[in-house]
Amino acid sequence: MVSARMVTRLGEGQQLPRGWLVYSAAVVCGAVAAGLSNIWLPSAFAASIGVAVVAVSGRMADQLLPEIARATTLRASWPEHLLNARHQGLPRVRDFSDPTVLGVHPVGPSPRSDDPDGQPPYIERDSDQSLRDHVIRGGFILLIGESTAGKTRSAYEATRIALPEYFLVRPLTRASIPAALQAVQAHKRCVVWLDDLENYLGPDGLTEAAVRRMTGEPERSTVLVATMRAEEHRRYNAREGSRLTGADRDLWRAERSVVQLAVPIRIERHWTLDECARGQAHAGDPRIASALTACDRFGLAEILAAGPELLDAWRDAWSPGANPRGAALVTAAVDCRGMGLRRHLPLSWLEELHQPYLDARGGARLKPESFENALEWACQATHATTSLLIGDVTLGYTVFDYLLDSPRKAAIPDHLWNFVMPRVTAIEAYNLGLTAHRDSRFNHAEQALRRAVSEEIPGADFALAVTLGDAGQQRAAVSALRVILAHRREIGSTTLSEVFAVRHQIAYFIGESGDQAEAASQFEILARETEAILGHHHVDTLSARRQHAHFTGEAGKHADAVRLLKPLLVDHIRLLGRDHPHTLATRRSIAWFTGLGGDVQAATTQLGELLHDASLALGKDEPHVLAIRGALAHFTGRAGRPEEAAQVLDSLRRDRERLLGPLHPHTLVTRQQLALFTAQAGLWSDAVGQLERVVSDMHQVLDVSHTHRRSAEKALERLKRGGPVWPQGGGWA
């Protein structure tokens, strides 16, 4: 029997854990079966049957005890993982009278003596009625908007009005998701509060299955209320996913599957005329009255949280004699978030990390303040609202998220990566590695992913192989990917989608290592298989078709490549739109192979139009736009204007070095093109020197068989012999 000490008292709305029910049933069934056998059967049979039944039921119970112990331990940890949770139960929505506890940005105290510490009155937003309706209906609701748009305050007010008696489950970290799931299953009528949803996504966080378990039982009436900055949400649209490959795309798909389950509700930072008019009714509050005077430029919530003032303060603090050390502290915290690290930073980290930023801006010439004064300045609340750095010595420090939406001027510096990497967990290293790979920081990505592989983080081996290939080590990548595919097939852990992804990467890196004909053949087969299984319009089918055409052209069959690409372009426009990166990349490939096929004038015309369209759609620093600039410069030079081509390529080189670094394969290719057009312009000795440096740098990072390394070596041989700039036949050097 279950002892009294093993039974937990249940409060209102709680249910006995399922493991305990099954355990109790097994024990009771054993006892009942033994008793009935004594009544109905002869004693000789009854004794043996009773022993057997009791043994089986006892074994069942024993097998359930570890599960029960784990559940009991997890439940005991609720106070550590869930906001204001107690061992006896959970708080209710009505218990939270202070919205800042749930993530609302603090606002300065009211000057009125009768309300010195209160939040300003809530002003109805245009989206509030729809929000309340969705909250009442239940399910998963996601409020999306820029930092300080008022997302969390809107969610708080809607939930407080609609569901005051519901239990509130707020996981404190991503590691708290199992406790939240258990709490939801133990209670009826719960609100799961996920402010900044991105902090709960990832390999060990909120999954599609967990969301469905929370919201899939109508009798429990569970509501998930989440918020997400618009910049974070943008990462999960199809356009962003088109830029990813391999493990990056797999992780993105898993996280996106969670985001797509939610009903999206947009909260705009700028207020409408109706919202501002409703705000006038509360102009008796000096804070609102002041904010309304600037609501033509900023959102009211943004002003109340002092976002614009804090951003200006950070920028102005770099002036000599101001607060340059404080500005360096804030910059270090912003870049830590930018590299994918979401934890609060220990004070010792900030002390170590900020100094190189300060030195880079002038060091002692800036007359920096003491570290203590810098920290005090960075943590000082503007108008008693929000500060640039948030936290304390015990908790650690993070940055006011308003600063994260400001345009980034420079790449994450090496000293930050070198300091952080040995100090993060394996899961954090995996996330940092994927972020570094997306930013084309392959050396940092490799370092982080090797750490994750060493601690057997799922998917890290695949991510590492793709990183090696993208960094120029194609042979190592192909070898690693083949081992991964064989191993996962052997243990039966690979889905069909994963098989296609690995085969795609293997074929791609075979082509990049120089065997374009073999790559084209493999992609032709892959395109047929994905079409047969996934459909003609599936993204994997379209991607395989594009790579089939690309490597067909790179193998010298330029006309065949254009023939394959034209119907693909029609499909891309119809399915994805004219501004989608895949559509733009297909247009670039058509222009490229048109030019290599001999019609240089048509290629330059097509690329000029494409550069205009892509710059408007994606922005000037987007990788597709940079590639278009390089292709246009190439055919401009081949059309007889080498000086103009060299000028464009020199500008592209500077941009790629700024964004990607000097040894990135794309930067090296740009430098190679620049050297060749410098030679064509008549500056032969300058071109030889440039190309010698390019070849030397390629030897550091690219495989011996890499296409661009071999073409650069051959071009250098031709130039040293005084031969033609371009190889026989006029193809790519």
Side-chain angles (χ1 to χ4, degrees), residues 223-267:
V223 185
L224 272 65
V225 179
T227 68
M228 181 177 271
R229 287 171 43 242
E231 180 64 20
E232 289 286 348
H233 188 261
R234 185 181 64 82
R235 293 178 50 221
Y236 297 105
N237 65 37
R239 174 173 292 175
E240 293 299 307
S242 70
R243 309 177 190 190
L244 307 178
T245 58
D248 286 6
R249 189 172 65 170
D250 291 342
L251 178 64
W252 175 84
R253 282 175 171 171
E255 295 180 358
R256 184 176 188 247
S257 69
V258 175
V259 174
Q260 285 190 311
L261 289 176
V263 174
I265 295 179
R266 294 275 176 178
I267 306 294

Side-chain angles (χ1 to χ4, degrees), residues 572-621:
H572 277 156
I573 292 173
R574 179 165 50 86
L575 296 169
L576 305 175
R578 292 187 174 276
D579 293 338
H580 193 281
H582 280 180
T583 306
L584 299 171
T586 302
R587 287 176 60 188
R588 174 167 58 88
S589 294
I590 290 173
W592 178 253
F593 292 119
T594 295
L596 291 186
D599 195 344
V600 173
Q601 183 58 50
T604 53
T605 300
Q606 292 172 21
L607 287 166
E609 294 171 352
L610 178 58
L611 181 59
H612 174 267
D613 295 345
S615 298
L616 288 177
L618 305 178
K620 63 183 182 66
D621 286 341

Side-chain angles (χ1 to χ4, degrees), residues 9 11 23 34 52 68 85 134 142 166 259 272 276 299 307 315 339 379 399 413 418 467-468 489 603 619 656 721 725:
R9 185 174 66 85
Y23 176 86
I68 295 169
H134 282 295
L142 176 60
Y166 273 48
V259 174
T272 66
C276 290
R315 291 168 173 166
M339 71 189 294
C379 294
V399 68
N418 296 336
T467 296
L468 292 174
R489 278 175 166 166
R656 279 185 158 159
R721 293 196 311 266
V725 173

Side-chain angles (χ1 to χ4, degrees), residues 374-425:
L375 185 65
E376 181 181 1
W377 171 83
C379 294
Q380 181 180 0
T382 298
H383 304 317
T385 58
T386 308
S387 53
L388 291 162
L389 290 182
I390 302 166
D392 54 46
V393 174
T394 303
L395 176 66
Y397 297 88
T398 190
V399 68
F400 178 30
D401 59 12
Y402 187 84
L403 307 182
L404 301 175
D405 288 337
S406 62
R408 182 179 300 280
K409 299 297 184 184
I412 306 296
D414 287 346
H415 85 271
L416 205 65
W417 288 100
N418 296 336
F419 178 88
V420 166
M421 270 310 308
R423 294 169 172 81
V424 296
T425 66

Side-chain angles (χ1 to χ4, degrees), residues 688-726:
V688 170
Q690 290 178 27
L691 202 51
E692 285 177 336
R693 290 189 290 274
V694 171
V695 169
S696 176
D697 287 343
M698 284 182 171
H699 285 181
Q700 295 183 48
V701 294
L702 302 184
D703 276 344
V704 173
S705 61
H706 193 286
T707 302
H708 295 312
R709 173 173 168 173
R710 290 191 297 133
S711 68
E713 290 170 341
K714 291 177 181 178
L716 182 58
E717 291 176 7
R718 289 196 304 274
L719 293 188
K720 285 185 173 181
R721 293 196 311 266
V725 173
W726 307 105

Side-chain angles (χ1 to χ4, degrees), residues 457-470:
I457 300 302
D461 53 352
F462 185 52
L464 176 60
V466 173
T467 296
L468 292 174
D470 287 344

Side-chain angles (χ1 to χ4, degrees), residues 380-610:
Q380 181 180 0
T382 298
H383 304 317
T385 58
T386 308
S387 53
L388 291 162
L389 290 182
I390 302 166
D392 54 46
V393 174
T394 303
L395 176 66
Y397 297 88
T398 190
V399 68
F400 178 30
D401 59 12
Y402 187 84
L403 307 182
L404 301 175
D405 288 337
S406 62
R408 182 179 300 280
K409 299 297 184 184
I412 306 296
D414 287 346
H415 85 271
L416 205 65
W417 288 100
N418 296 336
F419 178 88
V420 166
M421 270 310 308
R423 294 169 172 81
V424 296
T425 66
I427 284 289
E428 286 176 327
Y430 178 67
N431 291 331
L432 296 184
L434 295 183
T435 302
H437 181 254
R438 282 195 290 266
D439 291 342
S440 295
R441 302 292 171 179
F442 298 133
N443 57 332
H444 297 309
E446 180 180 350
Q447 179 190 11
L449 292 170
R450 286 195 185 280
R451 162 82 184 284
V453 168
S454 71
E455 301 197 33
E456 299 183 346
I457 300 302
D461 53 352
F462 185 52
L464 176 60
V466 173
T467 296
L468 292 174
D470 287 344
Q473 302 175 54
Q474 281 84 9
R475 290 186 302 173
V478 169
S479 177
L481 288 166
R482 283 173 171 161
V483 170
I484 290 169
L485 185 58
H487 176 66
R488 292 185 183 174
R489 278 175 166 166
E490 180 182 346
I491 63 176
S493 67
T494 302
T495 66
L496 189 60
S497 176
E498 290 173 326
V499 169
F500 285 149
V502 176
R503 287 175 57 194
H504 183 108
Q505 292 299 146
I506 290 173
Y508 177 77
F509 290 133
I510 285 174
E512 287 292 285
S513 66
D515 196 345
Q516 293 93 347
E518 174 61 21
S521 175
Q522 290 195 23
F523 274 118
E524 183 177 16
I525 296 170
L526 187 60
R528 284 201 303 267
E529 292 182 10
T530 54
E531 181 174 1
I533 296 171
L534 302 177
H536 181 71
H537 298 144
H538 192 277
V539 63
D540 288 348
T541 303
L542 297 174
S543 183
R545 288 172 59 195
R546 187 160 69 88
Q547 296 297 352
H548 171 217
H550 170 77
F551 285 109
T552 296
E554 290 297 309
K557 299 178 180 179
H558 306 139
D560 288 346
V562 173
R563 176 180 54 80
L564 292 168
L565 286 164
K566 285 184 175 179
L568 179 62
L569 178 61
V570 173
D571 287 341
H572 277 156
I573 292 173
R574 179 165 50 86
L575 296 169
L576 305 175
R578 292 187 174 276
D579 293 338
H580 193 281
H582 280 180
T583 306
L584 299 171
T586 302
R587 287 176 60 188
R588 174 167 58 88
S589 294
I590 290 173
W592 178 253
F593 292 119
T594 295
L596 291 186
D599 195 344
V600 173
Q601 183 58 50
T604 53
T605 300
Q606 292 172 21
L607 287 166
E609 294 171 352
L610 178 58

